Amino acid sequence: MARLLIVSNRLPISVRVDRGALCLTRSSGGLAAAMRGPHERHCAIWIGWPGSVASLSPEQRRDADVALAGMRAVPVHLGATEQHRFYDGFSNGVLWPLLHYLLDKVNLDAELDWEAYQRVNERFADVVAAQYTPGDAIWVHDYQLLLLPALLRRRLPGARIGFFLHVPFPSAEVFRILPWREQIVRGLLGADMIGFHTAAYRRNFAASAAHVLGVDPGEAMIEHDGRTVALGVHPISIDAAEIERLAGHPGVREEAARIRAEARDRKIVLGIDRLDYTKGIPRRLLAIERFLEREPELRDQVRFLQLAVPTREMAGAYADFRRVVHEMVGRINGQYGTTFATPIHYMHRSLPFEQVVALYLAADVMLVTPLRDGMNLVAKEYVAARGDDDGALILSEFAGASSELAEAISVNPYDIGSVAAAVKQAIAMPPAEQRRRMAALRRRVATHDVHTWAQAFLDELDRAAAPEPAGAAAPSRRGMPEGVVERMRLAPQRVWILDYDGTLVPFAPVPDLAAPDEDLLALLGALSERDRVHVVSGRRRADLERWLGALPLHLHAEHGFWSRPKASGDWVALEPDTAAWKGEARAILEGFTRRTPGSFIEEKTVTLAWHYRTAEPELASQHVREMRARLEERLPMDTLELLAGAKVVEIRPRVVHKGRVVPLILDDVPAKAAVIAIGDDRTDEDIFAALPPSAYTIHVGNESSRAAYRLPDAGAVRRLLRSIHAGHAGHAGHAGHAGHAGDAGLDAGRAGLDAGIHA
């Protein structure tokens, strides 16, 4: 039976020893509360760290594992040093401040912490893979496990994998300062679906992926590694019905009445936060000070309550932050306190949730002003508790909740004057306006509760990971079996049909930077001593002539429109040039080039190409869509086609394609010759389609292809060429004829295939 596997940094149960006895206690954090329902309703398995078990005896550890299993929880045990570097060092010393835009706190020299982060993510992957059974859905949570989706994808290629980020995702300009940015993005893109709280976070991630990996920044999905990764917006919520039930409990209501009585008819302005530097407590205190300074007549009419919940108490940065907050509270109370009262009642401790709900009920104003917050469930909890529709919510515009809770008073937490003014507005708000605002907020929170959130995410994950419909193209997943490579080596004759860009050389930012290196020239020269080698490229004939013209190769330029046989200086056209459409097309492309810095036009004999590899990704992606629509509207698309390549859009006649040269190549090929075609993009599919079934067709990359085999990149293509050439030379007893390329291939040939030839 298919199950749900929930994976988070911590289990919702902590294991510890109290007075020699084993204790298992349930966690009360936001993630634990949010996932409690899915864990119960889906009979899910929860995988995570259970806390340190170093103090447990072997018997207690076995008992703990048995008890956890009975609660459908699977522990991932970590050593103390490993846990410290992974959690305090990298997760909270690098990722947490980066994701919250606090760049001065990001430790960018954290190599040892990064290594621990990788090891722990690998450890989680091993445990999840051991628990997995076919059909299970895997739901990974939060910034501590950003590498896990890709690690799971390698171990479980067909699994349904979802990831949800509970914190913000910053702008691309901020994210890209991270030295490990590429690994992080690739890790996330192993999922079938990535969920974010807001559309802005989703947009930031797509832009970061575009800048870091060069993928096209789709609005709701990204194509990567031959797969489509869905990007969803799923703002997390709370169990609104449970909070409303607690708010109606007689004991909770009595506690709320007691808090109000102690306030002596003063308005209560409440703040509840973890004592974390992202929550904006110091600037909130400055805003309170500004309010007390500006409104002397209101000083005795308002009581500020601040509950600061301890967090990460062992971290040095948090100890310093705690000291700063305590000193600020003391200074403000010292300046504005009286013999009868102090303006700020500050509590640095945790409270049972029933008492928190009582505070919500007692507060006239809820002050939620984080500098940056993924969502902030305190705001939603306050709304859910206010069954009387009284109260006012002041909410930072930099909290994810602000995108949903439009009826709150929105403030910029960095602007202490505006926060002070918002406090005055809230305490003076007429009851009728309070009820209108709060009723709308409560309806929204009640409708979009945590159960709706979880089910919506899982439903979208099912859609994102659904198998392709029958008949849909699927990427070739078959690598290069050694038996196939050996048959190529032993073939009496070989004919190679090779693409250039992305196949023999990696893609370059601009076309002229993709010139062949000495190693490639030596390899092609050595290969052509025995084999027939055809290079079939979309490049201009002048490029191929300049780079490869001195080699004994057959060259085919501009998708085969021009051909130059081996040892001939003459290029022959496939057919007469009928490119009368170019004038209008060029005018359209020139208009978009002016609007897209970094783009340029490449004109060939019968085609036009618009390159945008060095353009700003989001702008280029938008302009590509506009440009394609304009071209399709203005050009005779019955005779032309728009071809999307790697950061290029090419306009070409439908009769010009690489498949047209295949009959010419095969015309004088001996019957027993091995024909091997290798290419990486849509244009090479025409070659694969034109070849007979006996040919060896190889796609470079992971995109959908009709090729029978695949290689990961241009480096693997070169290793294959060296392997086959060196292998034949070895069989023939003249390996030395290969020169430099043959010598390199001998090492990569037999022993090195696993490094990239095999998938």
Side-chain angles (χ1 to χ4, degrees), residues 335-483:
Q335 182 172 358
Y336 292 102
T338 68
T339 55
F340 303 102
T342 54
I344 302 174
H345 183 72
Y346 178 79
M347 297 172 283
H348 177 225
R349 63 177 182 272
S350 299
L351 291 179
F353 192 60
E354 291 79 5
Q355 285 186 254
V356 171
V357 175
L359 285 170
Y360 291 149
L361 281 175
D364 298 283
V365 178
M366 188 78 216
L367 195 51
V368 182
T369 57
L371 302 179
R372 190 75 58 168
D373 217 341
M375 174 53 64
N376 196 291
L377 296 180
V378 165
K380 293 188 174 185
E381 289 172 355
Y382 176 71
V383 168
R386 302 306 300 226
D388 52 7
D389 286 340
D390 286 340
L393 173 63
I394 299 173
L395 181 60
S396 165
E397 65 185 79
F398 299 123
S402 66
S403 64
E404 293 181 272
L405 305 183
E407 291 79 11
I409 300 172
S410 180
V411 294
N412 174 1
Y414 291 91
D415 183 352
I416 61 175
S418 72
V419 176
V423 171
K424 183 178 181 181
Q425 176 188 350
I427 63 176
M429 185 180 293
E433 182 181 349
Q434 287 187 33
R435 285 192 290 272
R436 283 197 303 272
R437 288 176 181 254
M438 190 59 69
L441 291 170
R442 288 185 66 248
R443 282 194 299 271
R444 191 169 300 113
V445 171
T447 302
H448 300 284
D449 66 0
V450 69
H451 308 299
T452 303
W453 166 79
Q455 193 58 52
F457 183 94
L458 292 173
D459 289 345
E460 189 167 341
L461 174 60
D462 285 342
R463 289 192 294 271
E468 294 285 345
S476 171
R477 291 291 178 186
R478 193 177 180 192
M480 291 299 302
E482 176 57 30

Side-chain angles (χ1 to χ4, degrees), residues 9 57 72 110 133 208 288 344 357 419 496 498 511 569 578 626 639 646:
N9 166 53
S57 67
R72 300 191 313 282
T133 57
S208 297
I288 291 171
I344 302 174
V357 175
V419 176
W496 297 90
L498 304 174
T578 56
E626 294 178 14
T639 59

Side-chain angles (χ1 to χ4, degrees), residues 515-586:
D517 54 78
E518 291 298 324
D519 180 70
L520 177 60
L521 293 173
L523 175 58
L524 292 175
L527 202 65
S528 62
E529 289 179 4
R530 177 185 178 274
D531 300 343
R532 299 184 188 183
V533 181
H534 294 259
V535 174
V536 186
S537 172
R539 283 190 173 268
R540 298 173 300 178
R541 53 180 169 157
D543 293 336
L544 295 187
E545 184 71 49
R546 182 171 74 254
W547 290 343
L548 305 175
L551 296 175
L553 308 176
H554 302 269
L555 301 178
H556 308 270
E558 299 188 28
H559 305 300
F561 181 82
W562 290 103
S563 292
R564 194 212 71 173
K566 175 182 176 180
S568 171
D570 298 327
W571 288 84
V572 179
L574 182 70
E575 58 187 44
D577 179 7
T578 56
W581 50 270
K582 274 190 175 180
E584 186 164 13
R586 189 187 300 106

Side-chain angles (χ1 to χ4, degrees), residues 181-183 185-186 189 208-215 224 647:
R181 59 194 187 176
E182 182 175 342
Q183 297 95 315
V185 173
R186 289 188 186 279
L189 290 176
S208 297
H211 281 283
V212 172
L213 298 183
V215 299
H224 172 69
K647 302 298 181 182

Side-chain angles (χ1 to χ4, degrees), residues 638-652:
D638 54 333
T639 59
L640 299 175
E641 65 178 331
L642 302 181
L643 206 63
K647 302 298 181 182
V648 60
V649 175
E650 192 158 11
I651 313 165
R652 71 177 188 186

Side-chain angles (χ1 to χ4, degrees), residues 285-355:
L285 293 172
L286 291 175
I288 291 171
E289 184 178 35
R290 180 69 57 83
F291 172 85
L292 295 171
E293 173 191 325
R294 283 181 177 176
E295 313 294 341
E297 72 283 357
L298 297 178
R299 290 174 189 170
D300 292 333
Q301 299 179 32
V302 181
R303 187 186 200 196
F304 294 93
L305 294 181
Q306 177 64 55
L307 175 62
V309 179
T311 184
R312 302 168 191 161
E313 291 286 280
M314 302 305 293
Y318 284 84
D320 294 340
F321 180 71
R322 182 173 63 249
R323 187 189 69 253
V324 167
V325 170
H326 289 187
E327 289 175 354
M328 289 183 69
V329 170
R331 179 178 60 77
I332 296 169
N333 279 340
Q335 182 172 358
Y336 292 102
T338 68
T339 55
F340 303 102
T342 54
I344 302 174
H345 183 72
Y346 178 79
M347 297 172 283
H348 177 225
R349 63 177 182 272
S350 299
L351 291 179
F353 192 60
E354 291 79 5
Q355 285 186 254

